[in-house]
Amino acid sequence: MNDYHHRFSVAPMLGWTDRHCRYFYRQLSKYTLLYTEMINTKKIINNENSCLDFNEDKHLVALQLSGSNSSELAYCARLAQHHGYKEINLNIGCPSYRAQKGYFGACLMTNANLVGDNIKAIYDVVDIPVTIKTRIGVDEKDSYTFLSDFIGNVSKISGCRNFIFHARKAILSKYNPKKNRKIPILKYSYVYNIKRDFPSFTIIINGGIETLEEAQIHLQYLDGVMIGRAIYSNPRILSEVDSKIFGCKKQVHPILLVRNMYPYINNELKNDIKINKILRHMLYLFKGIPGSSKWRRYLSNNIHKSDTGIWMIEEALKTIKFD
Ligand SMILES: Cc1cc2nc3c(=O)[nH]c(=O)nc-3n(C[C@H](O)[C@H](O)[C@H](O)COP(=O)(O)O)c2cc1C
């Protein structure tokens, strides 16, 4: 099995799912679709090469764009396809003040015509799948009818049939992004109703899903599940995805997962990348295993030092006590 698919994905997370994180996640799961952090079109246009760079994890990586200028989005999408990304995703969920000021993210939910035009412009220039990641409403526009009209209009204009729902609305006026991931209540029923009303669409659910058992229940009714924070705070969940979600038996021992990173780490060190940029994503790998907090403490205390290297990771591994 090596097809691009949406059955299971790791959410785009700004500041977290950078290329080092994705490289690590690819060691944990071969088949999970990984999303980049949100990248604004302006950033790509000003700095094309480095911000689209990624490692060998390119087989199943989707680029998340933010922006609302159709020609800029089309330009970036075409460039991304050229770089080897497997999907273009448009962010219609970011609630930050910066996003509102720049007219991208969640505030675009009130402008289905523009989102439709944006997506159409992307479709016109790429052959890879195009998806939208959206909230289920924004501020007081939070009825199911508002959401289904938004989806219906966007798809009518653009032909897009692939939607990822963070199943809570965005409250733009009052809360920052962190609170907007917690305070507005989750309404999975909206996502299920969209699948009922648009049965031929690919519908992916996201928000508050903590375990693969929960994911499996959603997968009985929906096309895909996306998880963010639960994986970042416990990456071993991801190491069970290939067996539990995709039916592939192979599972790698966590210590081997760390050691499999060594060639990558050495290579990045040679390119003057600081080791903490990579190891910070691995701090929670042993969550729940005796010694896990010592592993975290050892690394946290040492990863900023100048004479670090693989030897330091080997020292930290000695703190983990497997049965
Ligand atoms: C640190 C952080 C950064 C995030 N950055 C993005 C982003 O760049 N683009 C996006 O669409 N969502 C972003 N999100 C939201 C997640 O993609 C996801 O929708 C949200 O966390 C809910 O899923 P979860 O409960 O599984 O974490 C971010 C979330 C976190 C925690």
Side-chain angles (χ1 to χ4, degrees), residues 11-16 36-39 64 89 91 93-94 133 135 166 168 181 206-209 226-230:
M13 289 182 280
L14 195 61
W16 290 5
T36 65
E37 311 166 87
M38 170 180 80
I39 305 182
Q64 188 185 61
N89 174 264
N91 180 314
C94 181
K133 181 168 181 277
R135 298 284 183 136
H166 180 180
R168 39 167 77 86
R181 281 175 221 130
N206 164 246
I209 300 165
M226 170 184 272
I227 300 186
R229 288 166 293 182

Side-chain angles (χ1 to χ4, degrees), residues 28-274:
L28 277 70
S29 167
K30 196 169 163 198
Y31 300 114
T32 296
L33 179 60
L34 302 176
Y35 282 77
T36 65
E37 311 166 87
M38 170 180 80
I39 305 182
N40 191 267
T41 48
K42 307 257 186 265
K43 188 170 172 193
I44 296 174
I45 287 164
N46 294 333
N47 177 23
E48 359 197 287
N49 290 325
S50 63
C51 68
L52 285 181
D53 273 357
F54 61 117
N55 303 308
E56 108 333 320
D57 66 356
K58 68 177 70 169
H59 300 301
L60 281 170
V61 182
L63 174 72
Q64 188 185 61
L65 288 173
S66 66
S68 58
N69 176 305
S70 290
S71 47
E72 289 179 6
L73 283 163
Y75 172 81
C76 294
R78 198 170 29 202
L79 202 62
Q81 173 172 284
H82 180 71
H83 270 68
Y85 288 94
K86 289 291 180 281
E87 170 192 318
I88 305 296
N89 174 264
L90 184 63
N91 180 314
I92 309 291
C94 181
S96 73
Y97 173 68
R98 201 167 59 87
Q100 293 172 61
K101 210 165 147 238
Y103 206 46
F104 62 86
C107 60
L108 295 176
M109 279 197 88
T110 58
N111 196 343
N113 288 342
L114 179 61
V115 176
D117 288 344
N118 287 166
I119 294 289
K120 185 170 181 319
I122 297 174
Y123 266 118
D124 285 346
V125 297
V126 297
D127 309 317
I128 51 179
V130 180
T131 62
I132 295 176
K133 181 168 181 277
T134 179
R135 298 284 183 136
I136 55 166
V138 58
D139 291 327
E140 73 290 350
K141 294 187 186 341
D142 58 1
S143 67
Y144 177 71
T145 309
F146 170 79
L147 180 65
S148 77
D149 286 350
F150 173 74
I151 299 304
N153 287 333
V154 168
S155 73
K156 201 162 140 200
I157 297 167
S158 65
C160 183
R161 291 162 158 255
N162 310 314
F163 292 88
I164 303 164
F165 292 96
H166 180 180
R168 39 167 77 86
K169 73 170 176 175
I171 301 177
L172 300 184
S173 43
K174 242 174 34 197
Y175 299 129
N176 64 19
K178 194 166 181 188
K179 287 186 174 159
N180 258 302
R181 281 175 221 130
K182 220 169 165 179
I183 295 174
I185 53 169
L186 285 162
K187 288 188 182 170
Y188 292 153
S189 61
Y190 277 36
V191 184
Y192 278 71
N193 290 346
I194 290 286
K195 184 65 192 174
R196 178 198 63 200
D197 294 342
F198 300 88
S200 62
F201 286 18
T202 302
I203 302 298
I204 289 118
I205 193 163
N206 164 246
I209 300 165
E210 304 265 340
T211 65
L212 295 186
E213 288 65 35
E214 281 171 62
Q216 272 158 334
I217 294 171
H218 289 299
L219 285 171
Q220 290 173 26
Y221 309 98
L222 302 170
D223 303 292
V225 169
M226 170 184 272
I227 300 186
R229 288 166 293 182
I231 286 177
Y232 198 84
S233 61
N234 185 3
R236 283 206 330 287
I237 293 178
L238 193 56
S239 69
E240 295 186 345
V241 166
D242 287 356
S243 60
K244 289 193 174 161
I245 305 286
F246 294 108
C248 306
K249 286 266 167 345
K250 200 170 161 227
Q251 205 173 317
V252 181
H253 191 280
I255 291 207
L256 254 185
L257 288 171
V258 174
R259 293 190 172 136
N260 286 346
M261 290 292 289
Y262 290 174
Y264 176 81
I265 293 172
N266 274 328
N267 201 41
E268 292 295 311
L269 289 176
K270 269 189 224 148
N271 293 324
D272 285 337
I273 301 294
K274 298 266 182 289

